[in-house]
Amino acid sequence: MPRRLTGFTPSGDLHLGNYIGAIAPIISQQATTDTVVFISDLHALTLDHDPAKVRRRTLEFATMLLAAGADPQACLFLVQSHVPEHTELHYLLECTTGYGEAQRMIQFKEKAARQQQVRMSLLTYPILMAADILLYDTDEVPVGEDQRQHVELARDVAQRFNTRYGPTFTVPRAVNPPIAARIMDLASPGDKMSKSASSAAGTLCLLDEPQVLRRKVMRAVTDTGSQVTYDPAHKPGVSNLLTILAACTGEEPSRLAGRFDRYGELKEAVADAVVTTLAPVRERYLELACDPRHVRTALRTGADHAHELAGRKMRQVKAAIGLLPG
Ligand code: AMP
């Protein structure tokens, strides 16, 4: 069974893109795939952050993943900072990565250009990401285009380490999320729906009340003309709505297009489908949020298990790189 790893950075509110692109596939595949799911709280510290918000969101994300159906019995479920081996391996992998390699990362260049003060961790976080991946001998990392370069870096670092110090790491590969995975901002359909960049009006947050979800869908930007066709290049707004409907119903976007004569009808159907998909998750979230101890226990069990696996891997890595056992 291949091992697949997905991380969620608690740097903004979880949204429909996260749900369709990452959370739903985890839930549907956790019985047949060796799954690692973690909240990458350390990655939230690479840009300006509010400590209280990071802490609150970390618990919120864990609660949401459980509410959506992540089963801690079936997958390894943890918070990154609860397993100190992530940062321990990070340093050893820094000793295997060139400065030029880190500096070439497009995400670093783009994010650094928007900052007045660039944190050192913004430069090195792809190496922490490599540590997250390699620590668990991950085979597959489902990522969008923006993170592909980081998985490539993890591959290069793993191969270099294995060549220099002997076979130690599984070499991971990036895999594409499901076809309907790229959900765009409803108010600006040229941009990906995202925790940080997108607009509040264009982002369907998993904790939005049903009437808020409905309102956002009904106000979604559509395209000129009035025909409902699936054509992402020329009709990005309508195509995004069809993609969302397809993801919620399991049907094909182009086939769905034929069922609607007007944009308004399509929006009504999308609003219904989004509410039907997300309302039960939100309700379960609200129930679980009343009992944070349950979530904490799941996280503690996950961290203990991860610590065991990661500890074994670290002993192997330290021996290979030349550290004297303590
Ligand atoms: P992030 O929000 O960047 O921490 O991403 C967490 C996970 O959600 C990753 O696996 C992403 O590929 C996925 N994801 C984020 N935004 C979208 C989107 N707009 N459409 C589909 N998947 C997404």
mmCIF file with all atom_site columns, all heavy atoms in Angstrom, residues 294-306:
data_model
loop_
_atom_site.group_PDB
_atom_site.id
_atom_site.type_symbol
_atom_site.label_atom_id
_atom_site.label_alt_id
_atom_site.label_comp_id
_atom_site.label_asym_id
_atom_site.label_entity_id
_atom_site.label_seq_id
_atom_site.pdbx_PDB_ins_code
_atom_site.Cartn_x
_atom_site.Cartn_y
_atom_site.Cartn_z
_atom_site.occupancy
_atom_site.B_iso_or_equiv
_atom_site.pdbx_formal_charge
_atom_site.auth_seq_id
_atom_site.auth_comp_id
_atom_site.auth_asym_id
_atom_site.auth_atom_id
_atom_site.pdbx_PDB_model_num
ATOM 1  N N   . HIS A 1 294 ? -11.778 15.311 23.260 1.00 0.00 ? 294 HIS A N   1
ATOM 2  C CA  . HIS A 1 294 ? -11.824 14.183 22.326 1.00 0.00 ? 294 HIS A CA  1
ATOM 3  C C   . HIS A 1 294 ? -10.795 14.400 21.194 1.00 0.00 ? 294 HIS A C   1
ATOM 4  O O   . HIS A 1 294 ? -10.043 13.497 20.831 1.00 0.00 ? 294 HIS A O   1
ATOM 5  C CB  . HIS A 1 294 ? -13.246 14.071 21.763 1.00 0.00 ? 294 HIS A CB  1
ATOM 6  C CG  . HIS A 1 294 ? -13.377 13.111 20.635 1.00 0.00 ? 294 HIS A CG  1
ATOM 7  N ND1 . HIS A 1 294 ? -13.458 11.754 20.830 1.00 0.00 ? 294 HIS A ND1 1
ATOM 8  C CD2 . HIS A 1 294 ? -13.412 13.309 19.290 1.00 0.00 ? 294 HIS A CD2 1
ATOM 9  C CE1 . HIS A 1 294 ? -13.546 11.164 19.645 1.00 0.00 ? 294 HIS A CE1 1
ATOM 10 N NE2 . HIS A 1 294 ? -13.521 12.080 18.695 1.00 0.00 ? 294 HIS A NE2 1
ATOM 11 N N   . VAL A 1 295 ? -10.762 15.641 20.687 1.00 0.00 ? 295 VAL A N   1
ATOM 12 C CA  . VAL A 1 295 ? -9.835  15.970 19.595 1.00 0.00 ? 295 VAL A CA  1
ATOM 13 C C   . VAL A 1 295 ? -8.399  15.891 20.112 1.00 0.00 ? 295 VAL A C   1
ATOM 14 O O   . VAL A 1 295 ? -7.515  15.324 19.463 1.00 0.00 ? 295 VAL A O   1
ATOM 15 C CB  . VAL A 1 295 ? -10.149 17.376 19.034 1.00 0.00 ? 295 VAL A CB  1
ATOM 16 C CG1 . VAL A 1 295 ? -9.218  17.713 17.880 1.00 0.00 ? 295 VAL A CG1 1
ATOM 17 C CG2 . VAL A 1 295 ? -11.605 17.471 18.599 1.00 0.00 ? 295 VAL A CG2 1
ATOM 18 N N   . ARG A 1 296 ? -8.188  16.458 21.307 1.00 0.00 ? 296 ARG A N   1
ATOM 19 C CA  . ARG A 1 296 ? -6.839  16.435 21.892 1.00 0.00 ? 296 ARG A CA  1
ATOM 20 C C   . ARG A 1 296 ? -6.342  15.005 22.077 1.00 0.00 ? 296 ARG A C   1
ATOM 21 O O   . ARG A 1 296 ? -5.170  14.709 21.867 1.00 0.00 ? 296 ARG A O   1
ATOM 22 C CB  . ARG A 1 296 ? -6.843  17.111 23.276 1.00 0.00 ? 296 ARG A CB  1
ATOM 23 C CG  . ARG A 1 296 ? -7.187  18.575 23.240 1.00 0.00 ? 296 ARG A CG  1
ATOM 24 C CD  . ARG A 1 296 ? -5.981  19.365 22.842 1.00 0.00 ? 296 ARG A CD  1
ATOM 25 N NE  . ARG A 1 296 ? -6.279  20.771 22.906 1.00 0.00 ? 296 ARG A NE  1
ATOM 26 C CZ  . ARG A 1 296 ? -5.488  21.662 23.462 1.00 0.00 ? 296 ARG A CZ  1
ATOM 27 N NH1 . ARG A 1 296 ? -4.360  21.295 24.011 1.00 0.00 ? 296 ARG A NH1 1
ATOM 28 N NH2 . ARG A 1 296 ? -5.815  22.924 23.459 1.00 0.00 ? 296 ARG A NH2 1
ATOM 29 N N   . THR A 1 297 ? -7.252  14.116 22.518 1.00 0.00 ? 297 THR A N   1
ATOM 30 C CA  . THR A 1 297 ? -6.851  12.722 22.729 1.00 0.00 ? 297 THR A CA  1
ATOM 31 C C   . THR A 1 297 ? -6.434  12.089 21.404 1.00 0.00 ? 297 THR A C   1
ATOM 32 O O   . THR A 1 297 ? -5.423  11.388 21.317 1.00 0.00 ? 297 THR A O   1
ATOM 33 C CB  . THR A 1 297 ? -8.017  11.920 23.370 1.00 0.00 ? 297 THR A CB  1
ATOM 34 O OG1 . THR A 1 297 ? -8.387  12.604 24.557 1.00 0.00 ? 297 THR A OG1 1
ATOM 35 C CG2 . THR A 1 297 ? -7.621  10.497 23.697 1.00 0.00 ? 297 THR A CG2 1
ATOM 36 N N   . ALA A 1 298 ? -7.220  12.357 20.352 1.00 0.00 ? 298 ALA A N   1
ATOM 37 C CA  . ALA A 1 298 ? -6.875  11.802 19.033 1.00 0.00 ? 298 ALA A CA  1
ATOM 38 C C   . ALA A 1 298 ? -5.501  12.308 18.603 1.00 0.00 ? 298 ALA A C   1
ATOM 39 O O   . ALA A 1 298 ? -4.679  11.555 18.069 1.00 0.00 ? 298 ALA A O   1
ATOM 40 C CB  . ALA A 1 298 ? -7.932  12.191 18.011 1.00 0.00 ? 298 ALA A CB  1
ATOM 41 N N   . LEU A 1 299 ? -5.228  13.584 18.868 1.00 0.00 ? 299 LEU A N   1
ATOM 42 C CA  . LEU A 1 299 ? -3.937  14.157 18.469 1.00 0.00 ? 299 LEU A CA  1
ATOM 43 C C   . LEU A 1 299 ? -2.783  13.571 19.284 1.00 0.00 ? 299 LEU A C   1
ATOM 44 O O   . LEU A 1 299 ? -1.695  13.348 18.766 1.00 0.00 ? 299 LEU A O   1
ATOM 45 C CB  . LEU A 1 299 ? -3.960  15.683 18.604 1.00 0.00 ? 299 LEU A CB  1
ATOM 46 C CG  . LEU A 1 299 ? -4.838  16.421 17.595 1.00 0.00 ? 299 LEU A CG  1
ATOM 47 C CD1 . LEU A 1 299 ? -4.873  17.911 17.891 1.00 0.00 ? 299 LEU A CD1 1
ATOM 48 C CD2 . LEU A 1 299 ? -4.335  16.181 16.160 1.00 0.00 ? 299 LEU A CD2 1
ATOM 49 N N   . ARG A 1 300 ? -3.056  13.338 20.568 1.00 0.00 ? 300 ARG A N   1
ATOM 50 C CA  . ARG A 1 300 ? -1.992  12.780 21.415 1.00 0.00 ? 300 ARG A CA  1
ATOM 51 C C   . ARG A 1 300 ? -1.657  11.353 20.971 1.00 0.00 ? 300 ARG A C   1
ATOM 52 O O   . ARG A 1 300 ? -0.497  10.975 20.853 1.00 0.00 ? 300 ARG A O   1
ATOM 53 C CB  . ARG A 1 300 ? -2.424  12.795 22.895 1.00 0.00 ? 300 ARG A CB  1
ATOM 54 C CG  . ARG A 1 300 ? -1.241  12.816 23.835 1.00 0.00 ? 300 ARG A CG  1
ATOM 55 C CD  . ARG A 1 300 ? -1.612  13.206 25.256 1.00 0.00 ? 300 ARG A CD  1
ATOM 56 N NE  . ARG A 1 300 ? -2.367  14.439 25.339 1.00 0.00 ? 300 ARG A NE  1
ATOM 57 C CZ  . ARG A 1 300 ? -3.594  14.545 25.861 1.00 0.00 ? 300 ARG A CZ  1
ATOM 58 N NH1 . ARG A 1 300 ? -4.224  13.494 26.325 1.00 0.00 ? 300 ARG A NH1 1
ATOM 59 N NH2 . ARG A 1 300 ? -4.202  15.714 25.911 1.00 0.00 ? 300 ARG A NH2 1
ATOM 60 N N   . THR A 1 301 ? -2.693  10.573 20.687 1.00 0.00 ? 301 THR A N   1
ATOM 61 C CA  . THR A 1 301 ? -2.462  9.198  20.216 1.00 0.00 ? 301 THR A CA  1
ATOM 62 C C   . THR A 1 301 ? -1.695  9.219  18.900 1.00 0.00 ? 301 THR A C   1
ATOM 63 O O   . THR A 1 301 ? -0.750  8.441  18.700 1.00 0.00 ? 301 THR A O   1
ATOM 64 C CB  . THR A 1 301 ? -3.828  8.483  20.002 1.00 0.00 ? 301 THR A CB  1
ATOM 65 O OG1 . THR A 1 301 ? -4.600  8.673  21.171 1.00 0.00 ? 301 THR A OG1 1
ATOM 66 C CG2 . THR A 1 301 ? -3.658  7.012  19.712 1.00 0.00 ? 301 THR A CG2 1
ATOM 67 N N   . GLY A 1 302 ? -2.106  10.134 17.995 1.00 0.00 ? 302 GLY A N   1
ATOM 68 C CA  . GLY A 1 302 ? -1.438  10.245 16.691 1.00 0.00 ? 302 GLY A CA  1
ATOM 69 C C   . GLY A 1 302 ? 0.019   10.633 16.857 1.00 0.00 ? 302 GLY A C   1
ATOM 70 O O   . GLY A 1 302 ? 0.915   10.056 16.214 1.00 0.00 ? 302 GLY A O   1
ATOM 71 N N   . ALA A 1 303 ? 0.277   11.594 17.752 1.00 0.00 ? 303 ALA A N   1
ATOM 72 C CA  . ALA A 1 303 ? 1.658   12.054 17.961 1.00 0.00 ? 303 ALA A CA  1
ATOM 73 C C   . ALA A 1 303 ? 2.512   10.928 18.542 1.00 0.00 ? 303 ALA A C   1
ATOM 74 O O   . ALA A 1 303 ? 3.671   10.750 18.150 1.00 0.00 ? 303 ALA A O   1
ATOM 75 C CB  . ALA A 1 303 ? 1.672   13.272 18.881 1.00 0.00 ? 303 ALA A CB  1
ATOM 76 N N   . ASP A 1 304 ? 1.931   10.141 19.457 1.00 0.00 ? 304 ASP A N   1
ATOM 77 C CA  . ASP A 1 304 ? 2.695   9.026  20.053 1.00 0.00 ? 304 ASP A CA  1
ATOM 78 C C   . ASP A 1 304 ? 3.096   8.027  18.979 1.00 0.00 ? 304 ASP A C   1
ATOM 79 O O   . ASP A 1 304 ? 4.244   7.576  18.926 1.00 0.00 ? 304 ASP A O   1
ATOM 80 C CB  . ASP A 1 304 ? 1.850   8.295  21.118 1.00 0.00 ? 304 ASP A CB  1
ATOM 81 C CG  . ASP A 1 304 ? 1.721   9.121  22.393 1.00 0.00 ? 304 ASP A CG  1
ATOM 82 O OD1 . ASP A 1 304 ? 2.462   10.116 22.528 1.00 0.00 ? 304 ASP A OD1 1
ATOM 83 O OD2 . ASP A 1 304 ? 0.854   8.790  23.236 1.00 0.00 ? 304 ASP A OD2 1
ATOM 84 N N   . HIS A 1 305 ? 2.148   7.714  18.129 1.00 0.00 ? 305 HIS A N   1
ATOM 85 C CA  . HIS A 1 305 ? 2.417   6.737  17.074 1.00 0.00 ? 305 HIS A CA  1
ATOM 86 C C   . HIS A 1 305 ? 3.457   7.292  16.089 1.00 0.00 ? 305 HIS A C   1
ATOM 87 O O   . HIS A 1 305 ? 4.405   6.602  15.694 1.00 0.00 ? 305 HIS A O   1
ATOM 88 C CB  . HIS A 1 305 ? 1.097   6.392  16.377 1.00 0.00 ? 305 HIS A CB  1
ATOM 89 C CG  . HIS A 1 305 ? 1.227   5.322  15.344 1.00 0.00 ? 305 HIS A CG  1
ATOM 90 N ND1 . HIS A 1 305 ? 0.271   5.083  14.400 1.00 0.00 ? 305 HIS A ND1 1
ATOM 91 C CD2 . HIS A 1 305 ? 2.224   4.441  15.089 1.00 0.00 ? 305 HIS A CD2 1
ATOM 92 C CE1 . HIS A 1 305 ? 0.673   4.102  13.611 1.00 0.00 ? 305 HIS A CE1 1
ATOM 93 N NE2 . HIS A 1 305 ? 1.855   3.691  14.008 1.00 0.00 ? 305 HIS A NE2 1
ATOM 94 N N   . ALA A 1 306 ? 3.278   8.570  15.721 1.00 0.00 ? 306 ALA A N   1
ATOM 95 C CA  . ALA A 1 306 ? 4.194   9.209  14.771 1.00 0.00 ? 306 ALA A CA  1
ATOM 96 C C   . ALA A 1 306 ? 5.606   9.268  15.361 1.00 0.00 ? 306 ALA A C   1
ATOM 97 O O   . ALA A 1 306 ? 6.600   9.022  14.666 1.00 0.00 ? 306 ALA A O   1
ATOM 98 C CB  . ALA A 1 306 ? 3.701   10.618 14.443 1.00 0.00 ? 306 ALA A CB  1
#
